[in-house]
Amino acid sequence: EAQLVESGGGLVQPGGSLRLSCAASGFTFSDYWMHWVRQVPGKGLVWVSRIKNDGSTADYADSVRGRFTISRDNAKNTLYLQMNSLRVEDTAVYYCARGGRAVTNQPSGDWGQGTLVTVSS
Amino acid sequence: QSALTQPASVSGSPGQSITISCTGSTSDVGGYNFVSWFQQHPGKAPKFIIYDVTARPSGVSSRFSGSKSGNTASLTISGLQADDEADYYCSSYTSGSTPVVFGGGTKLTVL
């Protein structure tokens, strides 16, 4: 059974940085695109970023492009999200999710439990 | 990239059927058969219930079905049950500035 476990969330001041991790197990991590999706408590899902299975291609939402960097270590079965220049509006629960194999893939059936990032002074 | 448009809320009685719409454009919903639907209960991660407009992942009840007409996709839940009360989100692949867009979400209340 596939499992995704996020970590690294917490309280950070505006302008600060944080790195989220997502440890994957139960499936061949290196075969799949991976995504980050965030959700302000009480609000809707918002797609953040995705990375190709071999790490060669990454896409970002307009709101985070230039500030966030997605990466992966297939040897460690781990996905990362480096978040810099954090803003109050980045406060949310961040989920990692498995994608598919094609370039048209989206988040699919396997999601983590989420990690809360709070940006506040 | 603007979010896909969903109704804020829908409701139905046990045993009834309801339909949730998800409206986009020719750049997303109308242009590709890559619409997914998720169910989310409070405090839980989203659950994948429909992909590629009409397909159901293994283990998802046949009471959930998807369809699409033009730029609007729809999720129909038949034989409503109390446990169906949740938030529902659509998503689509898009050729816009970002490759994935979600809908704003619909709260389903089972009366």
Side-chain angles (χ1 to χ4, degrees):
Chain A
E1 179 183 353
Q3 189 173 18
L4 297 169
V5 179
E6 300 97 337
S7 60
L11 175 64
V12 61
Q13 292 188 337
S17 298
L18 212 56
R19 188 175 85 154
L20 306 182
S21 300
C22 170
S25 61
F27 65 98
T28 305
F29 181 70
S30 59
D31 280 354
Y32 294 92
W33 289 74
M34 294 295 294
H35 298 254
W36 287 99
V37 176
R38 68 185 182 185
Q39 184 173 36
V40 174
K43 302 296 185 182
L45 299 172
V46 176
W47 180 83
V48 173
S49 182
R50 71 172 186 171
I51 186 168
K52 194 177 177 184
N53 64 314
D54 63 0
S56 62
T57 300
D59 299 298
Y60 299 92
D62 293 342
S63 59
V64 308
R65 189 176 293 115
R67 300 187 298 122
F68 289 12
T69 302
I70 190 172
S71 63
R72 63 193 296 162
D73 186 335
N74 286 345
K76 295 183 178 180
N77 289 341
T78 303
L79 174 72
Y80 303 100
L81 186 67
Q82 177 67 44
M83 304 185 294
N84 298 331
S85 303
L86 281 162
R87 305 168 180 169
V88 171
E89 55 266 34
D90 294 319
T91 295
V93 174
Y94 284 73
Y95 294 100
C96 64
R98 181 176 65 83
R101 293 186 169 95
V103 69
T104 53
N105 81 97
Q106 308 170 60
S108 61
D110 299 312
W111 291 60
Q113 82 289 351
T115 186
L116 176 63
V117 172
T118 303
V119 184
S120 175
S121 55
Chain B
Q1 183 69 40
S2 299
L4 305 176
T5 301
Q6 297 181 232
S9 63
V10 298
S11 63
S13 299
Q16 289 186 331
S17 295
I18 63 93
T19 297
I20 299 171
S21 61
C22 169
T23 300
S25 68
T26 54
S27 296
D28 39 63
V29 174
Y32 305 93
N33 288 322
F34 298 126
V35 176
S36 298
W37 289 91
F38 297 87
Q39 175 194 63
Q40 188 181 34
H41 287 106
K44 301 294 186 181
K47 176 185 176 183
F48 192 44
I49 57 175
I50 294 287
Y51 66 98
D52 293 352
V53 179
T54 62
R56 272 190 312 276
S58 175
V60 173
S61 172
S62 58
R63 297 187 300 106
F64 295 91
S65 61
S67 62
K68 189 183 84 167
S69 177
N71 295 338
T72 298
S74 299
L75 171 71
T76 297
I77 307 174
S78 60
L80 270 180
Q81 299 177 358
D83 188 53
D84 296 332
E85 185 162 294
D87 293 324
Y88 291 83
Y89 296 91
C90 61
S91 71
S92 176
Y93 174 77
T94 169
S95 61
S97 60
T98 56
V100 180
V101 61
F102 280 94
T106 299
K107 181 177 180 57
L108 169 62
T109 300
V110 180
L111 301 171

